[in-house]
Amino acid sequence: MAGLFDQQADLYLDARPTYPFQWYSMLAARTLHHSLAWDVGTGNGQAAIGVAEHYEQVIGTDVSEAQLQHAIPHPKVKYLYTPLSISDEELLSSIGGENSVDLITVAQAVHWLDLPKFYSLVTRLLRKPGGIVAIWCYNDIAVSPTFDPVMKRFHDTTLPYWNPNIQYVFDGYKTLPFPFESVGLGSEGQPLALDIPKKLSFEGFLRMLRSWSAVVTAKNQGVDLLSENVVKELKSAWGRSNLVRSIAYKAFMLAGKVKL
């Protein structure tokens, strides 16, 4: 998937929602120590710099070099390119070694990972006791009663072009394996529902749609899902061209610690 996300790297930086700072506070409150955090699939580093407000050092890793080129600099964040060819032992040592990490975060990315391999690394890396892993994602956007049905029709046109793993997102992570002990922020089969508020212009919204992997995949196959007519219909439902709306991304979280 790295190549696919390389193509949309420039769209991610300003199109994606910003995760509320309260999320990082509630995660930090559940770890005993605040020395080291690992942000997996860090992309432009949005979650990593949020985590950095509570931890001495954050390591943000990604399989996409292009994404990392857009990463937001921060004095407490170190970005690492981790190609798919990297071995578990190499990755383990580059993060900090066994029993070293206080918080592991995965924002909008765990469904792309080799879950058994990733969960094995989590189990080895997390500090015991006191370390936790938290994953979150969003799968819907609430704008207005007028806009939402139009958006639903557009979303339906994207379905053939998503990677099968996206089903975990469509299910709100309710079907995602998560073999960790609950810390009160969602558990396997019972994710915690959260909203991400954001003020957004139509142009910003359109950039977000263009960053979808399904839209990029379709375009690579010669199908323009955001044709002029589709954009015109979405824009009409949005309202005035300069209208900035208060919207909500519908998100969900799973968090846990290693079962001892």
Side-chain angles (χ1 to χ4, degrees):
M1 296 302 295
L4 179 60
F5 288 102
D6 288 350
Q7 296 175 53
Q8 63 209 85
D10 60 332
L11 291 170
Y12 262 72
L13 192 59
D14 63 349
R16 297 285 164 150
T18 301
Y19 308 116
F21 69 87
Q22 296 95 330
W23 292 15
Y24 306 112
S25 299
M26 67 185 187
L27 291 170
R30 285 166 167 80
T31 64
L32 293 180
H33 306 278
H34 301 85
S35 298
L36 178 63
W38 176 30
D39 185 46
V40 187
T42 198
N44 61 42
Q46 180 193 136
I49 62 172
V51 171
E53 296 304 309
H54 300 275
Y55 293 83
E56 293 172 19
Q57 183 183 16
V58 181
I59 297 176
T61 63
D62 208 290
V63 298
S64 168
E65 285 186 287
Q67 288 279 354
L68 292 175
Q69 286 170 7
H70 290 80
I72 307 161
H74 190 285
K76 294 203 289 185
V77 180
K78 177 183 179 183
Y79 294 109
L80 291 177
Y81 170 53
T82 51
L84 293 174
S85 58
I86 193 171
S87 71
D88 287 0
E89 298 307 318
E90 286 177 302
L91 185 57
L92 198 77
S93 62
S94 66
I95 302 300
E98 296 201 14
N99 207 45
S100 66
V101 180
D102 300 303
L103 175 67
I104 296 174
T105 54
V106 195
Q108 204 74 13
V110 82
H111 47 282
W112 301 121
L113 305 181
D114 178 334
L115 291 177
K117 177 179 179 178
F118 172 62
Y119 288 154
S120 174
L121 283 167
V122 167
T123 300
R124 295 175 66 185
L125 279 165
L126 276 184
R127 191 193 294 263
K128 295 171 279 292
I132 69 169
V133 55
I135 65 175
W136 63 84
C137 207
Y138 56 87
N139 67 353
D140 204 0
I141 307 158
V143 177
S144 73
T146 302
F147 186 84
D148 294 349
V150 179
M151 180 60 190
K152 171 68 165 58
R153 289 198 296 274
F154 166 72
H155 185 270
D156 287 347
T157 69
T158 70
L159 295 178
Y161 302 99
W162 290 104
N163 182 286
N165 287 20
I166 206 72
Q167 190 60 47
Y168 285 132
V169 177
F170 292 162
D171 292 342
Y173 280 0
K174 290 176 183 174
T175 58
L176 184 82
F178 192 71
F180 300 97
E181 185 178 335
S182 175
V183 293
L185 296 174
S187 57
E188 186 174 70
Q190 296 180 308
L192 175 67
L194 297 162
D195 278 357
I196 306 174
K198 186 175 178 68
K199 291 189 179 298
L200 199 62
S201 67
F202 180 72
E203 287 305 314
F205 186 81
L206 196 57
R207 284 195 296 272
M208 188 271 294
L209 296 185
R210 286 178 173 143
S211 77
W212 282 9
S213 59
V215 172
V216 175
T217 296
K219 192 171 185 178
N220 289 342
Q221 295 177 16
V223 178
D224 185 6
L225 295 177
L226 286 168
S227 66
E228 186 177 338
N229 287 340
V230 170
V231 171
K232 189 179 296 183
E233 184 181 15
L234 287 166
K235 191 172 187 177
S236 176
W238 183 272
R240 302 187 313 275
S241 59
N242 62 346
L243 178 62
V244 174
R245 286 190 172 275
S246 295
I247 70 168
Y249 291 86
K250 297 301 187 178
F252 35 91
M253 179 182 287
L254 297 169
K257 57 185 179 181
V258 175
K259 296 175 181 178
L260 299 178

